[in-house]
Amino acid sequence: MVDGAESRQRRRLILENFLSREECRELEFIHKSCSTVGYRPNVFSTTLLHLVATNSAHLIIPFVPIREKLKEKAEEFFGCHYELFVEFTGLISLHSKAHLQPSSSNLGWTRGASIGWHSDDNRPYLKQREFSAVCYLNSYGVEFGGGLFHFQDGEPETISPFYGDCVMYTADNDNVHSVDEITNGERLTLTLWFTRDSSHDEDAKLLSLLSQSPLHDRFPDSCLPQPPSCNMYWFSPEDDPNFKFGFDICWARLRALGYDLYFPGDHDFSEYPDLFFQDVQLVWGDKIFFQKFENILHLLQVVQFLCWKGKELDSTNLSEDSSYAEYLSPKRNVGVSYFKSEFSKNDGLAESVFSSAASDGKENQQWLGWDKLVAAAAAWEHYASILRRELLGSFSHWRNCQSIYSVSLDS
């Protein structure tokens, strides 16, 4: 055991290059295709429980070895000779300030996301938290501005986020900290909290939910995400229960990359909550992609997979780009405009929140062609199937041990 003086000296740890660039990019893909509106303005989050609830349980597999490494490091550094439990695992993004167009009831700018001085156990219902770990998935001064991490006292005082680095610290008043306002872009982190209290074990909650999920369905579409309530994806800087203001963040991420949506079938008068669960096609410029996707979450996962893996995808054996799409008819063009009006009540607000994604989209236009999208749809399905097989092979071991860990599976 470490004594009191040594414990005070060793209350925080900086781990440089803890995650590889590819690990960061994979988690970024998961977040940008699965996140929901978060707990405070201009914050979006992706939790493991949400992945299971939306039939994307296979996407928890990339988190498993990272959670293990972080827990082992916490037990080693803080001298824990007992087993810690992971209390929470989540991807959290903080976004820059958003501009409100004159059509809204509030003019001007909303502030970018920030987090004031606090400890991570600062509420009665958070007292079980012992240690915190924050892994940075992108970099200050590159993907975002602002967002510096500050400790109220001690060293280091300020941390400039850099992809792959991790900061670990006690969750109590010894480590009161804050995060500066995001001035531009999107700051993305993987955040974990650890506890001694087994009643707050995240693994037990995940295993319970996995046991109730359609995990063992053998149908070909078993990896397709299934949307929960669309309220979880509606962003507005003010209370907006009736979708009168704001926008859907799934639509906005696609729109930031230059895409629009078309819903085939008799949806001329369908409204946003119903459209969220319908088959959908992708529109780019004046052309519409032939392939239909199960719902907007399915489409978003494929497109974000393209953003992640596009440069690596081999489309040399595919047909010419023009064979996968056709020109929009006047009727479909009207439909595209209508559907856009259902998913966004404030285009300027959406564009400003996801301005960094729009910049990325412009830089990557050379490999976002239709042929690459065809390749991405197939590669995404293969990727999801591999993760699903690993999940199915691991689940019985997890259930027997009541713990989620990396399982060595026979090939």
Side-chain angles (χ1 to χ4, degrees):
M1 295 289 290
V2 295
D3 62 27
E6 186 178 0
S7 177
R8 285 192 295 273
Q9 292 173 358
R10 301 181 62 187
R11 59 187 180 172
R12 64 187 63 145
L13 172 68
I14 310 299
L15 300 167
E16 295 182 352
N17 301 312
F18 182 78
L19 297 180
S20 69
R21 182 58 168 166
E22 189 61 15
E23 286 175 315
C24 292
R25 293 194 66 206
E26 184 171 20
L27 296 180
E28 180 182 8
F29 150 71
I30 293 172
H31 181 68
K32 289 185 175 181
S33 58
C34 301
S35 62
T36 64
V37 173
Y39 57 96
R40 63 176 72 217
N42 288 7
V43 174
F44 303 129
S45 63
T46 305
T47 67
L48 302 193
L49 291 172
H50 177 72
L51 293 177
V52 177
T54 54
N55 201 42
S56 295
H58 52 281
L59 292 178
I60 72 175
I61 291 296
F63 292 86
V64 174
I66 297 172
R67 291 166 90 241
E68 283 186 303
K69 288 196 300 180
L70 285 169
K71 189 172 81 165
E72 290 172 3
K73 184 62 67 173
E75 290 175 338
E76 174 190 345
F77 181 75
F78 294 109
C80 302
H81 298 290
Y82 44 81
E83 183 178 1
L84 289 179
F85 301 94
V86 179
E87 188 243 9
F88 172 86
T89 306
L91 299 169
I92 299 173
S93 60
L94 309 183
H95 291 250
S96 59
K97 58 187 179 180
H99 183 253
L100 306 179
Q101 291 180 317
S103 59
S104 70
S105 58
N106 298 308
L107 306 183
W109 292 84
T110 65
R111 286 180 57 83
S114 62
I115 304 176
W117 293 111
H118 71 287
S119 64
D120 287 341
D121 68 347
N122 65 345
R123 296 288 187 273
Y125 56 86
L126 301 179
K127 290 302 180 183
Q128 72 278 0
R129 292 178 177 173
E130 294 283 344
F131 308 109
S132 307
V134 178
C135 299
Y136 299 108
L137 305 183
N138 57 4
S139 301
Y140 166 76
V142 181
E143 287 91 357
F144 63 90
L148 294 177
F149 183 103
H150 302 285
F151 285 111
Q152 197 168 55
D153 55 59
E155 295 296 333
E157 181 180 356
T158 297
I159 296 174
S160 299
F162 188 80
Y163 81 83
D165 290 353
C166 176
V167 56
M168 191 175 288
Y169 50 91
T170 59
D172 57 16
N173 284 333
D174 279 343
N175 281 298
V176 174
H177 57 280
S178 67
V179 177
D180 288 347
E181 180 184 356
I182 306 299
T183 57
N184 63 276
E186 178 176 6
R187 177 188 189 268
L188 181 56
T189 61
L190 168 66
T191 299
L192 283 81
W193 285 293
F194 300 98
T195 181
R196 291 184 175 96
D197 187 346
S198 62
S199 68
H200 291 277
D201 182 10
E202 183 180 47
D203 286 9
K205 298 173 185 176
L206 286 167
L207 290 169
S208 175
L209 192 57
L210 283 167
S211 298
Q212 302 168 43
S213 71
L215 183 62
H216 299 281
D217 287 352
R218 298 292 180 174
F219 299 108
D221 62 352
S222 56
C223 291
L224 294 175
Q226 298 299 321
S229 167
C230 59
N231 294 39
M232 301 179 73
Y233 302 94
W234 190 261
F235 173 87
S236 177
E238 61 183 30
D239 189 27
D240 184 33
N242 298 315
F243 310 116
K244 299 298 183 183
F245 180 70
F247 60 88
D248 176 86
I249 64 173
C250 300
W251 169 87
R253 285 201 183 273
L254 291 165
R255 182 59 189 159
L257 294 170
Y259 296 115
D260 281 306
L261 303 177
Y262 181 78
F263 294 84
D266 187 19
H267 299 311
D268 290 348
F269 299 102
S270 297
E271 296 183 346
Y272 165 69
D274 297 324
L275 290 170
F276 200 81
F277 304 91
Q278 304 299 323
D279 291 351
V280 61
Q281 290 175 272
L282 195 64
V283 175
W284 189 21
D286 57 358
K287 289 187 175 181
I288 184 169
F289 189 48
F290 283 139
Q291 182 172 340
K292 295 179 183 178
F293 297 88
E294 185 78 7
N295 52 57
I296 191 172
L297 291 186
H298 177 207
L299 171 57
L300 183 59
Q301 284 197 21
V302 171
V303 169
Q304 292 296 341
F305 188 88
L306 173 61
C307 292
W308 172 29
K309 293 289 191 179
K311 294 179 181 178
E312 304 169 23
L313 293 175
D314 183 7
S315 59
T316 55
N317 294 325
L318 297 175
S319 304
E320 292 184 6
D321 194 69
S322 59
S323 65
Y324 300 111
E326 63 182 355
Y327 285 101
L328 282 169
S329 65
K331 181 179 179 180
R332 280 177 166 175
N333 204 34
V334 170
V336 169
S337 297
Y338 169 75
F339 299 135
K340 179 180 177 181
S341 70
E342 286 296 306
F343 279 84
S344 174
K345 307 302 180 184
N346 193 316
D347 294 352
L349 178 63
E351 290 171 5
S352 60
V353 169
F354 290 105
S355 59
S356 61
S359 299
D360 293 342
K362 290 177 181 178
E363 292 177 3
N364 297 324
Q365 286 299 317
Q366 71 274 15
W367 50 265
L368 290 178
W370 296 119
D371 58 336
K372 286 289 190 179
L373 187 60
V374 173
W380 168 85
E381 185 173 354
H382 179 67
Y383 165 81
S385 297
I386 291 174
L387 293 185
R388 182 175 175 79
R389 285 196 296 271
E390 186 172 346
L391 177 63
L392 289 170
S394 301
F395 181 68
S396 61
H397 299 274
W398 295 351
R399 185 173 53 192
N400 291 338
C401 296
Q402 284 298 293
S403 177
I404 293 176
Y405 61 97
S406 298
V407 178
S408 297
L409 301 174
D410 293 334
S411 58

